[in-house]
Amino acid sequence: MLKQLEELQLEALNELGQVSELKELESWRVRCLGKRSKLTQVLRSLASLPLEERKKVGALANATKVSLESSLAEKKKFLEEDHLASFLGRERLDITLPGQPIPAGRLHPVTQTLEEICSIFTSMGFQVAEGPDVEWDYYNFEALNIPPQHPARDMFATLWIDYEETTEQARLLRTHTSPMQIRVMEKERPPIRMIVPGRVYRYEATDATHESMFYQVEGLAIDTNITLADLKGILFEFCHCLFGEERKVRFRCDYFPFVEPGAEIAIECLSCHGAGCRLCSYSGWLEILGAGMVHPDVLRRVEIDPEVYSGFAFGMGVERIPMLRYGIDDIRLFYGNDLRFLKQF
Amino acid sequence: MKVSLKWLSDYVDIKIDPQKLAEKLTMAGMEVKGLQTVGNTWNNVVIGQVAAVNSHPDADKLNLATVNLGPQQITVVCGAPNISVGQKVPFAYVGARLIDGHTGKATLLKATKIRGILSEGMVCSEKELGISENHESILVLSPEAPMGMPLADYLGDIVFDLDITPNRPDCLSIIGIAREIAALSDEPIHLPEIRYEEMEKPIDSLISVDIIEPDLCLRYCASLITGIKVASSPAWLQQRLRSYGMRPINNVVDVSNYVMLEHGQPLHAFDYHKLEGKQIVVRRAKSGETIITLDGLERTLTQDTLVIADEENPVAIAGLMGGLNTEVDVTTTAILLESANFNRSIIRRGANHLNLQSEASIRFDKGLNPDLPLVALKRATQLLLELAGGKAARGIIDAYPGKTAPSAILLSTKEIKRLSGLEVTVDETLRILRALGFECQETGLLPPQISVLVPYWRSDMKCTADLVEEVIRIIGYDKIPVTRLSASLPPQKSTPERSFKRKLRNTLVGWGFQEILTYSLTSMEKLQRLSLKLEPEVAPLQIANPMTKGQEYLRTSLRAGLLTTLANNQKHEETGIRLFEIGKIFLPQYSSVIAVGQTRGSGEGKVKQSTQDKEGLPQEKEMLCAALSGSRRELSWHDNKELFDFFDAKGVAERLLEQLGLTSTFEPSDDEGLFPGRSADVIIGGDKVGVVGKLHSKVAQDFELSGPVCLIEVDVEKLMNKASGAKRYQPIPRFPSITRDIALVINEQVTFQQAEDIILSFPLVEKATLFDLYTGEQIPEGKKSFAIRIIYQSPKRTLTEREVDKIQQQMLAGLHRELGATLRG
Ligand SMILES: [Zn+2]
């Protein structure tokens, strides 16, 4: 009987060794460990054996059962891992295939720049306001110290709706965002801190550096004790935010009819770093902003006392900034809206 | 304004490096755009004297010129017709770097055989030296030019190209710039001394001047010279005019130009003997009066033109151009020299009207000071007597109806500090202002104040702020401290419109739309193409002076720009395009009151109103317009090559409104630009806020678009106002819901909305979603099948299958009764 058990175990293990698939394993279990298996028959027949032998054979039979069961578990684990490995092998992807395309939209580079400019100034406490594109001569010129026939009108080639520049009630397309200085000051009392982004228009033939429509951002701050030094501080900070802390900034005297003293802000050329190149017309500098202290006559016109209050105004072209940053050499690309251009930003 | 450093040196000692000087001028407001060194390439070019001129044995038009160079004489071939013995000329040795007269390129001069004669060197033209474009003749130097001297030492110069701002007409002159340099470098200015002899005969016995329009001619000065000889100017004078870029003509014209460049005051010379009645009348032109100007054109004048006339006829258009009838030519022996001040507006209008912009009109236009004519006239008279001979009549005509007393401006160092933030001492202020020619006096008051008298050439100085700028720009803006704005922060208000637009933009960008920005101006043709009607819905505002036909009208729709952009991009984009623009359209409107220059408060007289009905500013309306074209997905191996259709556009509108917390309905639209039956008005609370739909194929064709295009158009302001309500939170359901799917067979004419309305009218129905729409096999002709998922939900309890069954039975009965719908078998 004992010998029979040993042979039985040997045979079962031998068979188990030949099993190579999970589903065969179950039939092996039924054959070797099932109700009709030889082992079960041995266990059932124990009752008929004498006590001494029953003890011996019983212990061995149970040990055999436990041993075969653990061999089965081991084999099962082995086969399962093997199965998974081969399954994964079959399911391998060509991971170099392109992914599912997600539609990607972008903001226009000018919008991106406007957002950036506005966020720099709003962080300094400036509010954003917008004004009309179609303006009265009065706001665009007259109220800004540029009466009819003033030579400074030459600085602004104008698109007119009403063609007479002799009346302040002529309508025109604003040539700069500065009319909003007047509109804001007519409504608000100091302290004022305002920026105005918007479209402006010029009677101008277009080429790589000239557009008939472009964007400007105007700035205005009015209060007691505002100085040119504050203007310099604000605009230097702005230039450093946009063009980096290391960028050299130049603050020089310039003329605009509605400010006095007037100033211009230039940054060191991004292309030649001041050595002089075509981009900067060999000056080493790139003009970024026009600015100055709001002219006392302008303040008087909106009933703000220039002896009590002072303030500054500034204005800048927007397209120039991405042009300089990204090396864009043709301003017409912005409103040509070619997707091959727009998708680069 | 081009200025020669040598010429400037006549009036001020320039001790600093020209590059440094250029920087100083730029910083002080006089931008130096260019700095040109004349003569830095003239190695091996020296001054020679023509010793002999013989004709070339084998060429009619060529000469052999023998040039004396001091230590040696060289004979070269020369083709210039103006060469003659005794002239001082620039001579280039072999090896000199010259501009080739024909190609314009810099080349090294080599010894060459010309028609058999070896020529080792060359007598140079202006073009060959790079001075001007003149290649017809050789450059003839002044007889005093020292023989053998390198030309660069004699003629070399540095020319500054300055950008003069419109407020500084005084700097459209060499002396004006010299004054700036003097003040910037703290050097004295030396002005030319003016002294000349006069005849016995007084000028007013020879000519009379009558100003009829004293508002348009503030001052008229004139001198009279008899016995002059009109000839070429001396070489030095010609050279100076050339340094500015002006062509020498004759001594009379050249002197008036020279003085204009020197002092900034335009002058004009008349042939005295050609003046009828020996009188000058400054008057408006008679309507239809004509004059033949010096350029030979006959010009018909209007009363808006100021003329200088003699007894009979106009002899010049004031400030713009002289008349041919009194032209100075070689036969002239007596001239009347005019130096006057004219109203800048009338000059500007005249210059634009007659298209007569000139060096003179540019200066008058900027506004010259009426004290300048006398100074300039005396200087010109002196120079003419020196260079053209003759005698001056005694005295000067000086009609000066516009004389005003100079007024003083008060300035304090406190004010300088208040505006500029820069601390400047009284002494420094006085030094700078005096250096600029201002007369200053301390008032002795406390705090210290300076009373400043403005010199005649600075008519731009009107107020204290102007003086503050003068002081700080001479000190240098780089000395202004950098401070942080410490003024009080104004109350921060929200800007809902801006935030709303940003939200719309970011949402669409997130859904794969590319933002575009298109021109506000468009053409009538494009606006007409947008609609099947020939006229645009709204008459657009027209530009009076459009630059091009394509930019003549203010857009009344964003569609034209969007569709044009789409068509342009379709040419190269392979797959679907999603575009949008948020921008203004311009709708003309009339307003009965135009408040122009209306200031705050009730300052009477400040409010300028027109009570007539007058066209006002247009309504500027923010719109959003988006377009979809091509395939829904990018070209990919995955799937789905379907094209965008109406429901993509509608989906965008629905989701956008949903995100804004708005409930909308869609109703058939009669939009003229969209496809009938495939377009819908977007309605919120009974109000149309926009439209979605497929672009009409006629419109698509006119814009040269390929494939179907779908549009979404929304009125941004309306949308914002509707979306402004505060959102309320809805509790998350606490009890499970029950889901039922039904498939209805229904007549084709029945809309989904009709079915949905009935379903949603039943209690406990939370949501009905259409998940399939089917026609074809198994569905009878004229019918369709809706597969709808219905979710039942109660906020109060868990629903039972039984009660849902009951509701659904009633619902199906209702759908059958109202719409003839049956359950699909
Ligand atoms: Zn550069």
Side-chain angles (χ1 to χ4, degrees):
Chain A
M1 201 64 137
L2 290 173
K3 197 174 177 208
Q4 195 191 343
L5 270 173
E6 276 168 19
E7 277 170 14
L8 192 147
Q9 185 175 7
L10 220 68
E11 193 187 341
L13 285 175
N14 204 10
E15 275 180 39
L16 187 63
Q18 280 163 30
V19 170
S20 61
E21 289 204 36
L22 272 170
K23 46 189 179 204
E24 288 171 33
L25 212 58
E26 179 59 17
S27 63
W28 179 88
R29 192 192 64 79
V30 171
R31 204 161 57 247
C32 302
L33 289 166
K35 284 177 183 158
R36 288 183 197 160
S37 64
K38 287 175 186 164
L39 185 63
T40 310
Q41 279 169 19
V42 170
L43 286 166
R44 278 206 193 118
S45 66
L46 284 178
S48 59
L49 290 178
L51 185 68
E52 269 308 284
E53 202 167 346
R54 193 194 306 172
K55 272 186 182 166
K56 275 189 195 160
V57 174
L60 183 63
N62 272 320
T64 306
K65 192 181 177 189
V66 169
S67 155
L68 285 178
E69 271 169 354
S70 90
S71 297
L72 172 69
E74 223 168 90
K75 182 78 184 185
K76 194 176 174 198
K77 200 175 160 206
F78 171 79
L79 284 180
E80 270 172 355
E81 276 170 11
D82 193 50
H83 177 80
L84 187 66
S86 77
F87 173 77
L88 289 180
R90 265 183 281 116
E91 292 293 305
R92 178 170 293 142
L93 294 176
D94 175 0
I95 51 90
T96 67
L97 286 173
Q100 185 75 262
I102 299 289
R106 284 168 184 83
L107 290 174
H108 192 280
V110 167
T111 306
Q112 293 181 31
T113 313
L114 280 170
E115 291 287 313
E116 193 178 353
I117 295 170
C118 289
S119 78
I120 293 172
F121 284 112
T122 47
S123 74
M124 298 177 187
F126 285 76
Q127 301 240 289
V128 184
E130 290 177 21
D133 292 19
V134 181
E135 261 297 1
W136 299 112
D137 181 289
Y138 175 80
Y139 287 107
N140 196 72
F141 288 130
E142 189 102 25
L144 293 164
N145 291 346
I146 317 170
Q149 308 301 336
H150 192 279
R153 289 209 177 198
D154 290 346
M155 296 159 87
F156 309 97
T158 309
L159 285 162
W160 295 92
I161 306 256
D162 308 308
Y163 201 23
E164 280 301 311
E165 63 165 279
T166 49
T167 160
E168 61 189 25
Q169 292 200 356
R171 292 167 301 168
L172 47 79
L173 297 190
R174 64 175 172 193
T175 57
H176 48 177
T177 39
S178 309
M180 270 302 278
Q181 286 185 30
I182 307 297
R183 288 186 178 271
V184 166
M185 288 190 289
E186 279 181 353
K187 277 210 233 101
E188 316 262 337
R189 297 289 91 182
I192 295 171
R193 266 189 226 188
M194 191 72 79
I195 55 162
V196 185
R199 289 182 170 193
V200 303
Y201 306 83
R202 297 284 168 87
Y203 176 79
E204 189 133 42
T206 55
D207 63 26
T209 51
H210 296 90
E211 253 295 4
S212 56
M213 179 189 91
F214 50 96
Y215 280 77
Q216 280 189 345
V217 174
E218 189 81 9
L220 177 74
I222 309 283
D223 198 7
T224 52
N225 299 320
I226 289 184
T227 71
L228 198 62
D230 293 330
L231 172 65
K232 195 173 173 181
I234 285 273
L235 294 182
F236 273 42
E237 201 165 323
F238 170 74
C239 288
H240 287 144
C241 278
L242 268 190
F243 298 103
E245 288 297 323
E246 302 303 310
R247 183 74 34 198
K248 273 193 203 144
V249 186
R250 183 181 75 182
F251 189 65
R252 73 172 194 93
C253 180
D254 201 356
Y255 167 75
F256 304 96
F258 40 97
V259 291
E260 191 70 33
E264 175 219 88
I265 282 83
I267 56 164
E268 186 185 50
C269 180
L270 299 174
S271 161
C272 65
H273 303 281
C277 69
R278 224 163 60 96
L279 179 67
C280 58
S281 311
Y282 303 94
S283 69
W285 296 98
L286 298 164
E287 292 168 22
I288 298 293
L289 293 120
M293 300 300 288
V294 179
H295 198 288
D297 290 347
V298 172
L299 291 176
R300 260 180 228 115
R301 213 166 275 128
V302 292
E303 295 179 350
I304 292 176
D305 185 351
E307 298 193 358
V308 178
Y309 295 102
S310 56
F312 59 70
F314 57 83
M316 73 187 96
V318 174
E319 290 80 357
R320 193 161 165 75
I321 293 165
M323 284 181 86
L324 294 175
R325 267 197 186 160
Y326 306 123
I328 299 166
D329 52 8
D330 192 335
I331 192 170
R332 289 168 296 190
L333 285 166
F334 289 106
Y335 308 112
N337 290 303
D338 191 311
L339 287 173
R340 292 168 294 185
F341 172 73
L342 296 178
K343 279 179 177 172
Q344 298 181 34
F345 305 98
Chain B
M1 172 89 188
K2 285 190 172 167
V3 232
S4 133
L5 190 72
K6 272 198 173 161
W7 194 350
L8 280 169
S9 306
D10 279 5
Y11 316 108
V12 61
D13 290 340
I14 296 171
K15 293 171 183 159
I16 57 170
D17 171 61
Q19 191 65 49
K20 275 263 156 354
L21 180 61
E23 275 174 37
K24 274 199 161 203
L25 284 166
T26 299
M27 284 298 289
M30 220 115 327
E31 190 184 1
V32 179
K33 286 183 297 183
L35 193 66
Q36 189 202 348
T37 311
V38 179
N40 57 349
T41 58
W42 297 341
N43 295 326
N44 294 319
V45 183
V46 297
I47 298 167
Q49 187 162 28
V50 181
V53 178
N54 298 302
S55 25
H56 191 291
D58 293 322
D60 294 347
K61 289 184 178 167
L62 297 179
N63 287 314
L64 299 179
T66 305
V67 184
N68 188 356
L69 300 160
Q72 57 173 327
Q73 290 200 342
I74 296 184
T75 301
V76 294
V77 178
C78 177
N82 67 326
I83 193 159
S84 68
V85 174
Q87 284 172 336
K88 291 278 178 64
V89 293
F91 180 86
Y93 287 107
V94 168
R97 197 166 190 82
L98 298 177
I99 308 290
D100 186 299
H102 303 288
T103 65
K105 286 181 182 152
T107 39
L108 276 187
L109 184 62
K110 286 181 241 162
T112 41
K113 255 191 184 166
I114 302 170
R115 298 279 179 109
I117 306 259
L118 184 67
S119 192
E120 288 178 297
M122 185 190 256
V123 181
C124 306
S125 71
E126 286 177 21
K127 183 165 184 181
E128 281 155 346
L129 293 169
I131 298 174
S132 81
E133 280 302 297
N134 184 358
H135 191 51
E136 301 301 300
S137 50
I138 51 155
L139 172 61
V140 180
L141 304 169
S142 170
E144 298 92 58
M147 194 167 52
M149 180 189 260
L151 185 70
D153 293 352
Y154 181 68
L155 269 193
D157 199 352
I158 285 171
V159 177
F160 294 94
D161 190 0
L162 293 161
D163 201 0
I164 305 296
T165 53
N167 59 324
R168 294 299 303 272
D170 63 305
C171 284
L172 293 171
S173 73
I174 307 285
I175 288 183
I177 293 159
R179 282 200 184 97
E180 286 286 306
I181 295 172
L184 284 167
S185 52
D186 210 8
E187 292 284 338
I189 181 121
H190 328 287
L191 295 178
E193 199 186 330
I194 298 170
R195 193 186 291 162
Y196 56 85
E197 301 225 336
E198 296 176 340
M199 296 188 294
E200 273 301 299
K201 202 154 196 174
I203 189 165
D204 35 14
S205 68
L206 296 166
I207 190 88
S208 71
V209 170
D210 190 5
I211 301 175
I212 307 284
E213 298 285 344
D215 289 343
L216 301 179
C217 176
L218 299 183
R219 191 176 197 180
Y220 196 98
C221 300
S223 67
L224 203 155
I225 305 170
T226 54
I228 64 155
K229 191 173 178 326
V230 178
S232 298
S233 305
W236 68 265
L237 177 50
Q238 295 199 8
Q239 184 50 42
R240 291 216 159 157
L241 293 181
R242 272 193 218 102
S243 76
Y244 181 80
M246 238 175 202
R247 262 174 89 92
I249 295 169
N250 62 42
N251 48 11
V252 175
V253 176
D254 291 355
V255 163
S256 53
N257 279 335
Y258 182 83
V259 174
M260 176 176 72
L261 297 183
E262 187 181 56
H263 279 82
Q265 169 69 44
L267 300 120
H268 182 68
F270 299 99
D271 186 326
Y272 172 68
H273 293 304
K274 294 177 186 164
L275 289 169
E276 298 283 338
K278 303 303 169 226
Q279 61 169 294
I280 288 287
V281 182
V282 185
R283 59 166 168 86
R284 283 177 186 272
K286 294 166 194 155
S287 192
E289 203 167 21
T290 60
I291 180 173
I292 299 173
T293 42
L294 285 173
D295 52 9
L297 294 178
E298 178 170 62
R299 297 173 186 271
T300 307
L301 307 173
T302 65
Q303 287 181 315
D304 221 16
T305 320
L306 190 69
V307 295
I308 313 300
D310 60 13
E311 190 175 28
E312 298 289 330
N313 297 311
V315 291
I317 302 172
L320 296 178
M321 198 179 266
L324 208 54
N325 51 5
T326 50
E327 187 188 16
V328 174
D329 56 33
V330 283
T331 65
T332 303
T333 56
I335 59 163
L336 181 79
L337 194 57
E338 164 201 287
S339 181
N341 183 284
F342 302 114
N343 174 285
R344 75 179 190 201
S345 298
I346 199 151
I347 300 288
R348 184 185 165 89
R349 275 205 298 272
N352 290 336
H353 180 64
L354 298 168
N355 203 13
L356 266 177
Q357 275 80 10
S358 64
E359 290 289 337
S361 76
I362 287 168
R363 286 172 174 79
F364 280 123
D365 175 8
K366 304 279 188 292
L368 293 170
N369 191 285
D371 280 333
L372 185 58
L374 188 63
V375 184
L377 180 66
K378 287 184 173 167
R379 170 67 169 159
T381 307
Q382 173 202 29
L383 276 173
L384 271 176
L385 292 171
E386 275 172 28
L387 303 178
K391 292 210 160 80
R394 185 158 51 82
I396 288 232
I397 295 280
D398 188 3
Y400 196 175
K403 194 174 173 76
T404 50
S407 57
I409 304 172
L410 290 176
L411 176 68
S412 66
T413 50
K414 201 176 151 224
E415 186 65 6
I416 297 175
K417 166 92 177 163
R418 185 178 81 99
L419 286 183
S420 73
L422 189 65
E423 202 92 53
V424 187
T425 63
V426 174
D427 286 350
E428 177 79 344
T429 307
L430 288 170
R431 184 191 67 76
I432 289 167
L433 290 175
R434 284 178 179 146
L436 286 165
F438 293 81
E439 274 179 50
C440 302
Q441 207 150 29
E442 287 179 78
T443 57
L445 298 171
L446 277 175
Q449 270 196 330
I450 306 165
S451 170
V452 182
L453 275 181
V454 177
Y456 70 83
W457 59 88
R458 291 302 301 274
S459 28
D460 59 313
M461 292 291 111
K462 302 254 164 54
C463 63
T464 310
D466 294 326
L467 293 175
V468 171
E469 181 181 276
E470 289 307 297
V471 174
I472 59 172
R473 76 183 179 89
I474 297 297
I475 293 172
Y477 275 33
D478 49 338
K479 303 290 189 308
I480 293 171
V482 174
T483 55
R484 246 166 202 278
L485 197 55
S486 59
S488 40
L489 201 63
Q492 299 287 297
K493 296 174 215 153
S494 70
T495 47
E497 201 173 316
R498 229 186 120 64
S499 323
F500 187 73
K501 281 191 283 182
R502 187 186 298 131
K503 186 173 180 177
L504 291 180
R505 263 192 216 109
N506 289 341
T507 303
L508 286 171
V509 162
W511 294 342
F513 283 80
Q514 169 67 51
E515 188 196 19
I516 60 167
L517 296 171
T518 68
Y519 294 106
S520 308
L521 291 171
T522 185
S523 66
M524 180 58 91
E525 195 200 347
K526 276 193 181 166
L527 289 173
Q528 280 172 341
R529 273 195 230 151
L530 286 176
S531 162
L532 293 193
K533 291 182 194 159
L534 278 177
E535 289 303 307
E537 301 272 310
V538 190
L541 223 62
Q542 190 177 5
I543 300 298
N545 58 331
M547 194 72 212
T548 62
K549 272 273 164 227
Q551 301 209 331
E552 196 180 350
Y553 290 89
L554 277 159
R555 63 182 178 189
T556 50
S557 164
L558 298 186
R559 289 185 199 178
L562 194 72
L563 295 180
T564 306
T565 304
L566 191 57
N568 290 342
N569 280 295
Q570 276 184 342
K571 288 174 194 142
H572 52 74
E573 289 299 303
E574 286 168 14
T575 55
I577 304 178
R578 298 172 176 85
L579 297 178
F580 79 100
E581 177 169 17
I582 293 178
K584 287 173 177 178
I585 59 169
F586 302 83
L587 307 174
Q589 60 181 1
Y590 289 81
S591 57
S592 54
V593 175
I594 302 167
V596 165
Q598 185 165 1
T599 51
R600 197 178 162 277
S602 60
E604 220 175 294
K606 291 257 172 187
V607 184
K608 291 163 191 166
Q609 294 182 339
S610 158
T611 46
Q612 295 163 298
D613 264 16
K614 203 179 161 180
E615 214 173 327
L617 294 183
Q619 183 196 359
E620 301 192 1
K621 203 157 125 171
E622 292 276 359
M623 297 293 287
L624 182 165
C625 195
L628 295 164
S629 114
S631 62
R632 203 170 278 160
R633 301 282 276 271
E634 274 174 54
L635 182 65
S636 141
W637 62 280
H638 288 281
D639 53 7
N640 212 331
K641 315 260 186 300
E642 285 167 31
L643 300 183
F644 284 119
D645 65 20
F646 169 83
F647 294 104
D648 291 290
K650 188 181 176 191
V652 169
E654 280 174 332
R655 188 48 56 92
L656 194 65
L657 297 172
E658 188 190 309
Q659 293 225 333
L660 298 169
L662 293 169
T663 332
S664 57
T665 54
F666 290 78
E667 288 173 11
S669 173
D670 57 3
D671 190 294
E672 287 284 337
L674 299 179
F675 205 92
R678 296 200 175 179
S679 54
D681 288 344
V682 185
I683 312 282
I684 299 173
D687 194 8
K688 179 180 168 183
V689 298
V691 66
V692 295
K694 186 172 170 236
L695 191 68
H696 198 288
S697 37
K698 175 75 170 56
V699 178
Q701 196 187 334
D702 286 351
F703 277 90
E704 293 172 16
L705 289 157
S706 58
V709 172
C710 293
L711 284 185
I712 302 116
E713 192 176 60
V714 187
D715 180 328
V716 172
E717 205 178 300
K718 269 191 183 173
L719 207 59
M720 184 178 82
N721 293 337
K722 305 257 181 223
S724 61
K727 277 190 184 167
R728 295 288 302 177
Y729 140 87
Q730 296 294 324
I732 295 164
R734 278 194 290 159
F735 302 98
S737 60
I738 289 179
T739 301
R740 292 287 160 88
D741 290 350
I742 55 169
L744 297 174
V745 176
I746 209 160
N747 276 335
E748 219 159 40
Q749 292 79 7
V750 177
T751 65
F752 174 67
Q753 177 101 57
Q754 285 174 293
E756 190 189 27
D757 284 349
I758 290 172
I759 294 168
L760 292 177
S761 69
F762 282 86
L764 301 176
V765 175
E766 177 72 18
K767 198 178 168 192
T769 310
L770 179 73
F771 67 90
D772 194 26
L773 169 65
Y774 179 75
T775 53
E777 253 181 89
Q778 297 168 2
I779 302 292
E781 274 288 306
K783 302 259 181 191
K784 60 187 170 186
S785 162
F786 284 143
I788 302 169
R789 173 161 298 174
I790 302 166
I791 295 173
Y792 295 89
Q793 173 84 57
S794 164
K796 295 190 188 103
R797 62 198 163 78
T798 305
L799 296 176
T800 65
E801 296 282 338
R802 236 229 237 106
E803 61 182 328
V804 169
D805 286 346
K806 207 171 147 198
I807 295 169
Q808 189 142 333
Q809 262 167 30
Q810 288 166 0
M811 182 190 291
L812 290 171
L815 286 165
H816 182 68
R817 194 172 55 244
E818 306 269 337
L819 306 174
T822 55
L823 269 184
R824 189 170 162 189

